[in-house]
Amino acid sequence: MTKAKPASGLRSENQPLDAIDSALLRALDAEARLPLSELSRRVGLSAPSVAERIRRMETSGVLTGFTVETDARALGYAIRALVRIRPLPGKMHLVEQLIQEMPAIVECDRITGDDPFLARLVARSVEEMDKALDALSGHAVTSTAVIKGQSVKRRLPPL
Amino acid sequence: MTKAKPASGLRSENQPLDAIDSALLRALDAEARLPLSELSRRVGLSAPSVAERIRRMETSGVLTGFTVETDARALGYAIRALVRIRPLPGKMHLVEQLIQEMPAIVECDRITGDDPFLARLVARSVEEMDKALDALSGHAVTSTAVIKGQSVKRRLPPL
DNA sequence: CATGAAACAACACTAAG
DNA sequence: CTTAGTGTTGTTTCATG
């Protein structure tokens, strides 16, 4: 036996995450396609155990999916912007529908405050951006801030 | 010896993706751990071809990584918020450093406009959120909007 | 009850066409 | 880009502390 790690035995089932789950989550966050065999080496567990832990995190709703990160610029979208959207009176629902149908909007949160929506938008040019936002004219007031860069890349919250 | 392939054997990095690359990207966006064999079935190509296409998209910078999506709520973070941050005069760089060191901030863009930063923050409670933002007090003015929900889940731009 | 070990099936990779 | 051959990986079943 090379590994004498104690694994102090039991792990409560409903507990958010133990140290091993956290390590798995961080490893998968960095490289979601890591094979179970590699993951099992890193955390000192067998592959079936790792597979079961991942499945459990999916079932419990902690891990909601595996996805890819793409570079909008490399896809031809030179402009990324954050747009605050304030629907005109009575147009809240219509505006939300329009937002959902705008392919240029790649993400949108409903938030508290004067502007109910904050959307992330991509465009190949400023002209295309303006044209996309025209879909909302007459229904909402928008405030656009162009993204100049990223100070913090998307990362996991503390585990 | 084989003859060279047609002149277009190599895709330019500025050129849009072809239909197969787009399909692969969409499939991986939905389920990043899909086996190459399954991907190859879906797009009607052999597995090695699919592997090469994915590698090429990574090399060209279109596909920047494979990662997981987690649910902050399931991790115990009941509060998500968007925080606009305006550093006090002369404190721009200090504030950016502080932001990067705050674990509660899971993403932050540098943007045009009055508030140079827009950060996404998670917290287990409003008290914890306020405490996290205290790290910036004296160095920046912040405006916080709590996230009530998502109108558009993160999705790929048109391909 | 969670983990580990061995069996089998599925998969990824390389080479060659 | 495809097909074939080889090694690796994932998964299932079963036994154990």
Side-chain angles (χ1 to χ4, degrees):
Chain A
M1 268 342 187
T2 52
K3 300 241 162 80
K5 176 41 188 131
S8 42
L10 297 209
R11 195 179 65 83
S12 168
E13 177 130 17
N14 273 341
Q15 191 172 341
L17 291 182
D18 67 10
I20 293 178
D21 287 332
S22 299
L24 291 174
L25 217 49
R26 275 186 282 263
L28 288 171
D29 180 60
E31 211 35 73
R33 279 173 73 92
L34 281 179
L36 296 180
S37 56
E38 172 63 21
L39 291 169
S40 66
R41 267 169 229 128
R42 295 196 188 181
V43 302
L45 256 56
S46 69
S49 299
V50 170
E52 193 185 346
R53 279 168 178 269
I54 292 174
R55 235 177 286 120
R56 215 174 337 200
M57 287 193 285
E58 291 188 77
T59 305
S60 74
V62 167
L63 214 177
T64 54
F66 296 82
T67 187
V68 292
E69 286 175 331
T70 55
D71 181 356
R73 224 167 310 156
L75 286 170
Y77 294 97
I79 306 287
R80 288 170 300 156
L82 295 169
V83 185
R84 302 206 303 271
I85 300 168
R86 174 165 52 229
L88 298 180
K91 302 240 185 175
M92 179 74 84
H93 187 58
L94 167 63
V95 166
E96 183 161 27
Q97 274 184 319
L98 291 174
I99 288 171
Q100 286 162 348
E101 289 162 7
M102 291 170 64
I105 289 183
V106 295
E107 188 178 14
C108 182
D109 291 306
R110 295 197 320 123
I111 60 179
T112 62
D114 290 337
D115 304 317
F117 298 103
L118 192 128
R120 185 179 298 265
L121 177 149
V122 299
R124 298 179 196 275
S125 64
V126 285
E127 290 78 16
E128 191 183 283
M129 178 180 77
D130 271 4
K131 194 179 159 231
L133 290 175
D134 278 348
L136 297 175
S137 72
H139 308 297
V141 178
T142 61
S143 305
T144 302
V146 173
I147 296 177
K148 296 191 288 185
Q150 266 195 333
S151 286
V152 177
K153 263 202 63 175
R154 207 167 61 82
R155 64 186 177 194
L156 289 175
L159 300 175
Chain B
M1 194 47 198
T2 63
K3 304 156 45 99
K5 308 227 1 209
S8 59
L10 236 145
R11 262 192 304 283
S12 156
E13 49 181 81
N14 278 345
Q15 192 170 339
L17 305 176
D18 68 14
I20 292 179
D21 286 333
S22 300
L24 290 174
L25 217 49
R26 276 187 281 262
L28 289 171
D29 181 59
E31 208 38 70
R33 278 176 74 93
L34 281 179
L36 293 181
S37 55
E38 172 63 20
L39 291 169
S40 67
R41 266 170 230 128
R42 296 197 189 181
V43 301
L45 256 55
S46 69
S49 299
V50 170
E52 192 185 347
R53 278 168 178 270
I54 292 175
R55 231 177 288 122
R56 214 175 321 189
M57 288 194 283
E58 291 188 76
T59 304
S60 74
V62 167
L63 214 177
T64 55
F66 296 83
T67 187
V68 292
E69 285 177 331
T70 55
D71 180 355
R73 224 166 310 155
L75 287 169
Y77 293 97
I79 306 288
R80 287 171 299 156
L82 295 170
V83 185
R84 301 206 304 270
I85 300 168
R86 175 165 53 229
L88 299 181
K91 301 239 184 176
M92 180 74 84
H93 187 58
L94 168 63
V95 166
E96 183 162 27
Q97 275 184 317
L98 291 173
I99 288 171
Q100 286 163 348
E101 290 162 5
M102 291 170 62
I105 289 182
V106 295
E107 189 177 14
C108 181
D109 290 306
R110 293 195 322 121
I111 60 178
T112 62
D114 290 336
D115 304 317
F117 298 103
L118 192 129
R120 185 179 297 266
L121 176 150
V122 298
R124 299 180 195 276
S125 63
V126 285
E127 291 79 15
E128 191 183 285
M129 177 182 77
D130 271 4
K131 193 177 159 233
L133 290 175
D134 279 347
L136 297 176
S137 71
H139 308 297
V141 178
T142 61
S143 305
T144 302
V146 172
I147 297 177
K148 296 192 286 184
Q150 266 196 330
S151 286
V152 178
K153 262 203 64 175
R154 205 167 62 84
R155 64 187 178 195
L156 288 175
L159 298 176

